[in-house]
Amino acid sequence: MYDIIIAGGGPAGLTSAIYGARGGLNVLVLERSFAGGQMAISHTVENYPGFENDVPGALLANNMHVQATRLGAEFKNELVKEFDIDGDVKKLHTRNEVYEARTVVLAMGATPRKLGIAGEEDFIGAGVSYCATCDGAFFKGANVAVIGGGNTALEDALFLARYCEKVYLVHRRDTFRAQHALVKLAEENDKIEFVLDSTGTVIQGKFTVDTLVVENLKTKEKQDLKVTGVFVAVGQQPTTELVRGKVDLDDKGYIIAGEDCKTNVPGVFCAGDIRTKEVRQIVTAAADGAVASYGCELYLL
């Protein structure tokens, strides 16, 4: 029996583990892949406090993981299949085990949202990508497109411009949601071309991507962008399917919880991108993790 089981090993889960273990609690982190989540695949992190220079996301993730382990948190590479969290004893079912705890922190994060256009599914891994920092180096000297208008889309375009000959930035509006500083950098980069008021309609190719068809939403005019890569950056989808009906969710699927990170279920907290909030960044996920573990500690008193 654990004091806390944390589902998810991103920055929220790792920070929750650090605070829980340092508080003397028996902590288990269940993570299906690798520590760090999306942070670990970020090429560089510029805005995490305490680093004068950019820090690779993988390094930041590893440091958090090492710190949590040193403090006594236990980690297992397990995919949770079922959450049984309404009783005093919470049970998390994996393929081969049932783990029990008195409190749970839900920190499963979010996954990239898909476009839902023709050809997208066909070319995943053959030109369609949801992670520019993971796959950008494969497109050295190529023409690519980034679809989206938020911070991630602008960051992806700027990152890809290091490798690629041309980067088309396709956005359905004529203004961006992204930070002004990122937009300005993209405007000043002669490798980046804005394709505004437009949306991708079809991804084409034989064995790999060779064309993205875009349509101008105002004029209805279509054009073929000759690209070998399409990078999708249109937001995230919270990983909450397994807790739907077990904790309260909002209309977008995020867990309803305030700054105390408490869900509607006693002893169950949530942290990071999975929670209803205005800002989803590494630093806010880490803050949630600390708050969630503190909430667990109070609950266990």
Side-chain angles (χ1 to χ4, degrees):
M1 173 77 70
Y2 292 91
D3 294 319
I4 309 174
I5 293 179
I6 301 164
L14 291 171
T15 308
S16 185
I18 289 167
Y19 274 75
R22 189 172 182 274
L25 301 177
N26 188 12
V27 178
L28 172 65
V29 180
L30 298 176
E31 167 56 52
R32 67 177 181 175
S33 54
F34 47 82
Q38 293 182 71
M39 171 176 62
I41 59 174
S42 297
H43 179 67
T44 57
V45 177
E46 296 182 317
N47 56 1
Y48 195 79
F51 292 88
E52 181 181 0
N53 300 309
D54 300 350
V55 57
L59 176 61
L60 185 57
N62 183 66
N63 287 351
M64 289 185 182
H65 179 244
V66 169
Q67 185 178 9
T69 302
R70 178 177 60 80
L71 290 167
E74 183 180 352
F75 286 79
K76 289 184 181 291
N77 287 114
E78 294 264 31
L79 173 63
V80 179
K81 298 282 191 179
E82 181 183 350
F83 290 86
D84 182 5
I85 53 178
D86 57 348
D88 291 336
V89 176
K90 320 297 182 185
K91 298 179 181 180
L92 278 66
H93 301 253
T94 65
R95 183 182 299 275
N96 299 313
E97 298 286 344
V98 178
Y99 297 97
E100 296 184 347
R102 294 190 288 161
T103 63
V104 167
V105 177
L106 303 173
M108 295 89 75
T111 56
R113 192 179 301 278
K114 295 183 178 180
L115 296 170
I117 65 174
E120 180 180 13
E121 295 285 346
D122 298 334
F123 292 105
I124 292 175
V128 172
S129 173
Y130 302 89
C131 180
T133 55
C134 305
D135 301 327
F138 296 116
F139 294 85
K140 186 174 182 180
N143 293 349
V144 301
V146 175
I147 301 179
N151 285 341
T152 299
L154 271 293
E155 289 169 354
D156 285 356
L158 289 164
F159 174 76
L160 290 165
R162 301 179 187 180
Y163 299 96
C164 300
E165 182 68 25
K166 182 83 168 181
V167 179
Y168 296 100
L169 183 55
V170 181
H171 181 40
R172 62 185 304 110
R173 299 182 179 85
D174 59 3
T175 57
F176 292 94
R177 302 186 309 277
Q179 296 170 356
H180 175 71
L182 291 172
V183 176
K184 189 171 187 298
L185 286 172
E187 289 173 338
E188 293 171 350
N189 193 311
D190 58 8
K191 287 188 175 183
I192 299 175
E193 179 179 329
F194 290 178
V195 183
L196 302 180
D197 293 318
S198 299
T199 185
T201 59
V202 183
I203 299 170
Q204 298 175 336
K206 189 173 182 181
F207 300 110
T208 59
V209 171
D210 62 30
T211 304
L212 171 67
V213 181
V214 297
E215 179 181 356
N216 186 292
L217 297 174
K218 292 181 177 178
T219 66
K220 303 304 178 183
E221 182 181 348
K222 292 185 178 181
Q223 64 172 314
D224 293 347
L225 302 181
K226 294 301 180 182
V227 296
T228 55
V230 176
F231 291 84
V232 180
V234 293
Q236 302 288 314
Q237 180 124 10
T239 311
T240 52
E241 269 310 305
L242 290 177
V243 294
R244 186 174 295 277
K246 300 184 179 186
V247 295
D248 288 344
L249 307 178
D250 68 9
D251 58 353
K252 294 181 179 178
Y254 291 95
I255 297 174
I256 297 173
E259 294 301 318
D260 59 6
C261 295
K262 291 181 179 178
T263 73
N264 62 301
V265 179
V268 178
F269 299 80
C270 67
D273 288 358
I274 205 169
R275 181 174 78 84
T276 51
K277 58 201 298 190
E278 289 297 320
V279 180
R280 293 185 172 89
Q281 295 285 304
I282 295 172
V283 69
T284 62
D288 280 359
V291 172
S293 272
Y294 180 67
C296 291
E297 189 173 352
L298 292 179
Y299 179 85
L300 293 169
L301 292 177

